[in-house]
Amino acid sequence: MVGAENVLVDDPARLARATGLSYLDLVRRRSPAADFPVPDAVVLPADPDEVQAVLEICVQYDVGVVPFGGGTSVVGGVAALRGEKTSVIALDLVRLDALVSVDAESRIAVLQAGVRGPEAERLLAGHGLTLGHVPQSFERATIGGFAATRSAGQASSGYGRFEDMVTGVRLATPRGPWRLGVAPASAAGPDLRQLAIGSEGTLGVITEVALRVRPAPAVRRYEGYALPGWAAGAEAVRDLAQHHALADVTRLSDGDETEVSLALDAGLKTAALRRYLAARGVRRPCFLIVGWEGTAHDVALRRRETARRLKASGAVRVGKALGESWRHGRFAGPRQRDTLLDMGICVETLETAAYWSDVDELRDDVRAALTAALGPAIIMCHISHAYETGASLYFTVLTARDEADPVGQWQRAKAAACEAIAGLGTISHHHAVGVDHAPYLSAEIGSLGVEVLRAAKSAVDPTGILNPGKLV
Ligand SMILES: Cc1cc2nc3c(=O)[nH]c(=O)nc-3n(C[C@H](O)[C@H](O)[C@H](O)COP(=O)(O)OP(=O)(O)OC[C@H]3O[C@@H](n4cnc5c(N)ncnc54)[C@H](O)[C@@H]3O)c2cc1C
């Protein structure tokens, strides 16, 4: 049905689809014990009909199916868990790589699930359009993966989170095809698109996504500011968010993250910059990156208002070099992980979001929990997604790796952070639930919420073949 050449059973192909890209995935892959499950086969369908046909065969033979997009999950979302099944396949969507249609009048484009971030932008640019979804995993992650995980891109303040962009979704399910989304807004009961988005491959395989698109920006302007400390920085971002003055990219680093940027960014004249900031009363700076995209007129107008409000909040303008340096290095951070691992360092990230009234307490609690679990560690934090009501918090942690038990070391630290988060913030602002956050889901949505998700799953996937062991 998909052709023998599109069913792979060789070890390299199966191993390549066995894990995502979390620190634990990387550590396990490096370990000689290689202690992680591997799919029995990799199947590469070419289109939605082939995806549907593969699911029907998997129902018939009771085979588990792990949808695989870019494989950038950092929560165990693509782990080849079997659940109660004796066999499991990785269903790689990479061949679903087409721009299906463009409705320029409605500004909607339909993309197949396997299209990666850069290719989506390339295909849309041919029509003078952009999606504007640029997460840090942009280069590898796919349209289907973004939808399945409720992804948030770095320009979410301007373009919205991925779920804000989705106008419709097409799924293949064990019960048959399912299409959702016929109008820009609807009061026809609960919005079932929102059930599909974030379903992490447990309710169906997303084969196509209809997306709100925008004219490709004529101008991109990125610049940097410095705030005198975290509290002042968070207050400035809250002020922007609550006065509709956020730039498309709005990213506030805490003091520790700023110090690391200052130490590592060769493009910045650090000593001169420190003197300049100190002269303006900013001794321990927190950098704020702001970036606008759009027409020259729109960018100028919005930039003026953001700048006016930032000045009133005590921000000192650092200039274009800082903004551009961040923009050019925006995908580089994760590439350094292998080097750090080689040096015996444990390096991982985690994220959450909370209402403004809880943001500071949550940041303190997570830092304290990580410090108690890890001992000496560098713990950096930034806000990269801001809303009128609150903000995300993203932590980057570096510490000496416990060579005797590197997996246990991080699992204990992550559990401590999750315990600190539960009740105050969300267990995931954009990394999704997967395996790692599943134990904390009921604290957020209640045991009844988990039951509702399980009931939805048993309606569309009665024999439980889809992504065993994830989400619920
Ligand atoms: C370095 C790095 C940086 C990251 N930065 C960000 C960021 O800035 N913002 C952000 O939101 N996330 C980020 N992530 C997390 C990750 O990239 C996102 O979760 C992304 O949306 C996953 O897309 P993917 O195509 O790689 O999906 P995969 O990793 O392949 O899959 C993720 C989950 O979705 C399911 N799935 C995938 N495709 C489909 C489909 N077509 N139908 C149904 N289910 C499917 C999988 O089964 C799995 O459960 C980052 C990850 C890394 C490694």
Side-chain angles (χ1 to χ4, degrees):
M1 163 213 323
V2 296
E5 69 282 12
N6 293 307
V7 179
L8 313 177
V9 290
D10 59 289
D11 286 352
R14 294 187 305 124
L15 276 170
R17 276 78 165 192
T19 73
L21 291 177
S22 70
Y23 167 70
L24 292 184
D25 290 332
L26 301 187
V27 167
R28 287 185 180 121
R29 280 184 170 278
R30 285 168 166 242
S31 149
D35 186 17
F36 53 87
V38 176
D40 299 300
V42 178
V43 180
L44 297 117
D47 58 39
D49 292 340
E50 286 193 4
V51 174
Q52 187 62 50
V54 171
L55 286 193
E56 280 160 21
I57 288 183
C58 289
V59 170
Q60 195 183 342
Y61 292 97
D62 203 28
V63 173
V65 177
V66 180
F68 192 95
T72 64
S73 172
V74 285
V75 292
V78 292
L81 302 180
R82 283 173 166 66
E84 290 165 359
K85 311 296 168 200
T86 46
S87 320
V88 66
I89 60 162
L91 189 69
D92 191 327
L93 282 311
V94 69
R95 293 176 68 216
L96 276 76
D97 59 358
L99 171 61
V100 179
S101 62
V102 173
D103 172 351
E105 195 174 357
S106 312
R107 289 203 184 150
I108 294 174
V110 179
L111 284 157
Q112 286 190 327
V115 179
R116 295 185 200 277
E119 184 62 3
E121 287 299 339
R122 196 190 65 76
L123 289 166
L124 292 171
H127 297 264
L129 297 167
T130 183
L131 184 57
H133 186 70
V134 188
Q136 204 181 31
S137 53
F138 172 75
E139 291 161 313
R140 231 178 113 163
T142 61
I143 293 295
F146 296 145
T149 59
R150 299 179 78 85
S151 169
Q154 291 169 333
S156 68
S157 300
Y159 291 96
R161 294 166 57 89
F162 200 74
E163 70 263 23
D164 303 326
M165 304 174 183
V166 175
T167 64
V169 58
R170 177 177 177 186
L171 297 113
T173 83
R175 297 280 306 280
W178 196 13
R179 273 183 193 272
L180 293 162
V182 297
S186 164
D191 186 349
L192 292 182
R193 286 173 306 185
Q194 296 300 330
L195 188 63
I197 305 167
S199 59
E200 301 185 30
T202 63
L203 299 181
V205 180
I206 295 164
T207 55
E208 289 177 4
V209 188
L211 293 155
R212 175 206 73 200
V213 286
R214 295 196 170 149
V219 172
R220 288 192 167 88
R221 170 117 193 176
Y222 283 73
E223 50 194 57
Y225 281 81
L227 275 301
W230 172 261
E235 199 51 31
V237 174
R238 181 169 77 90
D239 175 77
L240 294 179
Q242 294 180 343
H243 291 90
H244 307 288
L246 283 170
D248 298 327
V249 169
T250 303
R251 188 184 195 280
L252 173 73
S253 295
D254 71 359
D256 291 326
E257 195 174 90
T258 300
E259 286 306 316
V260 171
S261 306
L262 279 166
L264 295 182
D265 194 330
L268 292 177
K269 297 187 179 83
T270 305
L273 180 55
R274 280 190 197 282
R275 279 197 301 278
Y276 170 81
L277 291 174
R280 281 152 186 80
V282 182
R283 288 181 199 287
R284 181 143 164 79
C286 287
F287 281 164
L288 175 70
I289 304 295
V290 275
W292 303 263
E293 304 192 352
T295 62
H297 175 73
D298 180 49
V299 166
L301 213 65
R302 295 174 55 219
R303 183 173 161 262
R304 201 173 311 139
E305 178 58 5
T306 310
R308 191 181 69 76
R309 297 209 77 89
L310 284 176
K311 194 171 172 202
S313 294
V316 176
R317 188 167 179 276
V318 176
K320 265 170 84 174
L322 181 57
E324 285 302 321
S325 153
W326 175 81
R327 185 157 83 94
H328 290 299
R330 67 200 295 183
F331 308 127
R335 294 194 197 112
Q336 290 158 8
R337 289 197 305 173
D338 274 309
T339 314
L340 291 166
L341 255 72
D342 289 345
M343 294 163 68
I345 291 171
C346 161
V347 50
E348 183 54 309
T349 62
L350 58 94
E351 42 81 54
T352 178
Y355 296 122
W356 284 115
S357 50
D358 294 323
V359 161
D360 284 345
E361 184 183 345
L362 183 55
R363 175 172 168 270
D364 291 345
D365 287 0
V366 172
R367 286 174 61 90
L370 289 168
T371 305
L374 291 170
I378 298 173
I379 302 168
M380 300 177 273
C381 181
H382 65 247
I383 288 175
S384 45
H385 307 273
Y387 308 91
E388 277 180 77
T389 52
S392 67
L393 290 172
Y394 187 97
F395 298 87
T396 305
V397 185
L398 291 101
T399 191
R401 186 165 64 238
D402 176 350
E403 293 300 350
D405 183 17
V407 171
Q409 177 193 27
W410 179 250
Q411 282 176 332
R412 284 187 292 278
K414 172 84 178 185
C418 289
E419 295 295 339
I421 287 169
L424 261 189
T426 173
I427 198 62
S428 177
H429 171 266
H430 60 263
H431 281 169
V433 176
V435 175
D436 297 0
H437 294 145
Y440 306 94
L441 186 61
S442 67
E444 184 158 335
I445 64 170
S447 52
L448 188 56
V450 173
E451 259 184 66
V452 169
L453 286 179
R454 287 197 179 129
K457 180 166 176 65
S458 69
V460 290
D461 180 23
T463 59
I465 61 163
L466 287 172
N467 219 1
K470 319 296 162 40
L471 185 62
V472 286

